[in-house]
Amino acid sequence: MTTNIKQPPPSPPPSQIELTFTSTAIHSNTHENTLILIKDLCFLILSRCHAGYFRITLSLCCQTLLWKTLKDPPENPHTYRKILALFPSTAFLLLWSLSLLILASLSVLYILRCALFTNMVKTEYLNNIGVNYLFAPWISWLLLLQTAPFLTPKTYYYFYLWWVFVVPIFVLDVKIYGQWFTKGKRILSKVANPASQLSVVGNFVGARAAAQMGWKESAMVLFTLGMVHYMVVFVTLYQRLSGNTCLPTMLRPVMFLFIAAPSMASLAWDSISGTFDLLSKMLFYLSLFLFLSLVTRPNLFKNSMKKFNVVWWAYSYPLTVLALASTEYAQDTRSSFAHLLMLLLSALSVMVSVVLMIYTALNTDILLPPDDAGDPTIATLAINISS
């Protein structure tokens, strides 16, 4: 006789499905959070990456042009120039590649900024300081084009790229120069500031590139536009009319653009005329005088040097253009003093650029600060408060 023994009911199977679902949900949330963080970071970078960051590419591309000029000595060079030609060409190629990489990266970022933050770009255009840096990307590309190791001024690619980079400069010229003398609220006497010289620098860089292609008429058009407006801007800034805006303290390094405009004009006319004649020398002497006027007043820039800012790169580009003009001056005069001056200015330019590279590399965490003085919106607020 058998007894029916009730066995306990089987235990339910482990909730593998539930665990799998929970794990998937956790991973899914983590993945979504990561995407959100990356998206927020990209939007943060694009919102703060204004056109003023092209100061970096202006300096690097011009430094590349200086190295190319020094490594390719002319016929019958001076002894000092032969020494500079001993530097390896690999250094020039590395600098050119670095300039191309940074310029291309910044250009892509700014194109995305134009697409996603149209209002911010419009604010830059309406700002008296920020609008001038809209020339900076095209000037940088023109400078890099003149240093390209695989392109010569006689090739079709050089020709097409010159048009691509010059047309935006000419369009900005028509818009901004027209506003200076036709629009009441944006006449030059009210909006002029040292950064306004970037607009004329763009004409001189384009004229120099055109002259190297053999297009003397196109070069003369750009040089004439730049020279006439440079004289007007220079006199306006010199007079400091009552309606003229002033620079915030952090933007005072921009005053070194006083050196860049006549130096680049000197180089442009040298390429157009084929010789470093009287006009080129007069512009070079003016650059030297303005350089001495600025470096003998260090207290003017002391407050702007307390905290690192991308505005510091405004020191490098004008010094490099002055060093480039000194190379042409030394080649024309062939005197030991002129070549010694070339060496001193070139060494100073390289030293300043290297120091700025190191500072930038060590301060990448504050390279895009929320209270950037170079931001057009903040700069406008500072100017309104100071005035």
Side-chain angles (χ1 to χ4, degrees):
M1 183 175 178
T2 62
T3 59
N4 294 329
I5 302 175
K6 293 184 178 180
Q7 298 181 355
S11 58
S15 57
Q16 295 180 356
I17 298 178
E18 182 179 355
L19 288 176
T20 304
F21 174 77
T22 304
S23 176
T24 304
I26 293 174
H27 285 296
S28 177
N29 291 335
T30 303
H31 183 64
E32 290 180 359
N33 292 335
T34 303
L35 290 178
I36 292 174
L37 288 175
I38 294 175
K39 181 181 178 180
D40 291 342
L41 179 61
C42 291
F43 274 78
L44 178 65
I45 293 175
L46 293 177
S47 64
R48 296 182 181 178
C49 187
H50 51 80
Y53 282 86
F54 283 97
R55 296 183 184 97
I56 299 175
T57 58
L58 276 176
S59 301
L60 291 178
C61 293
C62 197
Q63 191 68 216
T64 306
L65 182 59
L66 176 64
W67 281 54
K68 180 182 181 181
T69 303
L70 295 178
K71 83 178 186 67
D72 297 329
E75 297 180 0
N76 302 320
H78 192 275
T79 304
Y80 294 152
R81 191 71 177 268
K82 292 179 180 179
I83 296 175
L84 293 174
L86 296 177
F87 285 98
S89 58
T90 307
F92 161 73
L93 293 175
L94 289 175
L95 183 59
W96 188 88
S97 302
L98 176 64
S99 302
L100 176 62
L101 175 63
I102 296 177
L103 180 55
S105 302
L106 280 177
S107 298
V108 171
L109 288 176
Y110 200 77
I111 290 173
L112 294 175
R113 177 183 170 92
C114 293
L116 300 176
F117 296 94
T118 308
N119 291 334
M120 289 187 176
V121 178
K122 184 179 179 180
T123 301
E124 289 185 68
Y125 176 76
L126 296 176
N127 180 260
N128 299 336
I129 299 174
V131 65
N132 300 290
Y133 283 96
L134 297 179
F135 288 88
W138 313 109
I139 298 174
S140 300
W141 281 111
L142 279 172
L143 289 171
L144 197 66
L145 178 64
Q146 296 176 52
T147 62
F150 49 84
L151 284 179
T152 61
K154 303 299 182 181
T155 59
Y156 285 106
Y157 294 107
Y158 195 103
F159 160 74
Y160 291 129
L161 289 174
W162 182 86
W163 274 109
V164 169
F165 303 144
V166 166
V167 168
I169 292 178
F170 187 78
V171 172
L172 286 170
D173 284 344
V174 172
K175 188 68 176 177
I176 294 175
Y177 293 165
Q179 289 179 342
W180 283 355
F181 61 85
T182 60
K183 199 169 184 178
K185 293 184 179 180
R186 299 197 71 177
I187 59 175
L188 184 59
S189 60
K190 292 185 178 181
V191 303
N193 59 82
S196 301
Q197 297 172 101
L198 266 180
S199 61
V200 299
V201 169
N203 291 317
F204 295 143
V205 175
R208 186 174 189 268
Q212 291 178 342
M213 292 191 298
W215 290 10
K216 295 297 179 68
E217 292 300 319
S218 300
M220 282 298 300
V221 170
L222 291 172
F223 182 84
T224 302
L225 288 175
M227 199 64 201
V228 171
H229 287 91
Y230 168 67
M231 290 188 292
V232 175
V233 172
F234 183 75
V235 172
T236 304
L237 294 174
Y238 221 105
Q239 289 178 332
R240 292 182 180 272
L241 299 178
S242 58
N244 197 6
T245 57
C246 59
L247 283 175
T249 301
M250 285 300 296
L251 293 180
R252 286 182 179 173
V254 177
M255 295 185 70
F256 266 69
L257 285 174
F258 275 105
I259 305 170
S263 298
M264 185 53 72
S266 176
L267 290 170
W269 185 252
D270 172 57
S271 297
I272 294 173
S273 64
T275 178
F276 206 80
D277 58 11
L278 290 177
L279 179 58
S280 295
K281 290 180 180 179
M282 289 169 60
L283 292 167
F284 175 66
Y285 295 148
L286 175 60
S287 303
L288 283 178
F289 171 77
L290 295 173
F291 171 71
L292 293 175
S293 299
L294 290 174
V295 298
T296 53
R297 290 167 174 80
N299 291 332
L300 183 64
F301 308 98
K302 183 173 63 175
N303 292 332
S304 63
M305 301 298 293
K306 292 181 179 179
K307 183 181 179 181
F308 173 77
N309 193 284
V310 70
V311 181
W312 288 14
W313 281 91
Y315 292 119
S316 176
Y317 169 67
L319 286 175
T320 307
V321 181
L322 181 60
L324 276 167
S326 69
T327 61
E328 300 298 332
Y329 174 72
Q331 179 60 27
D332 180 77
T333 59
R334 299 181 181 274
S335 66
S336 298
F337 172 78
H339 280 83
L340 182 60
L341 178 64
M342 176 197 68
L343 285 178
L344 292 175
L345 292 174
S346 300
L348 180 62
S349 169
V350 172
M351 182 183 68
V352 171
S353 297
V354 170
V355 170
L356 287 172
M357 289 181 193
I358 295 174
Y359 263 93
T360 304
L362 295 177
N363 292 277
T364 52
D365 54 332
I366 60 172
L367 195 59
L368 295 166
D371 56 344
D372 185 8
D375 191 317
T377 306
I378 299 175
T380 303
L381 179 61
I383 291 176
N384 292 334
I385 292 175
S386 62
S387 58

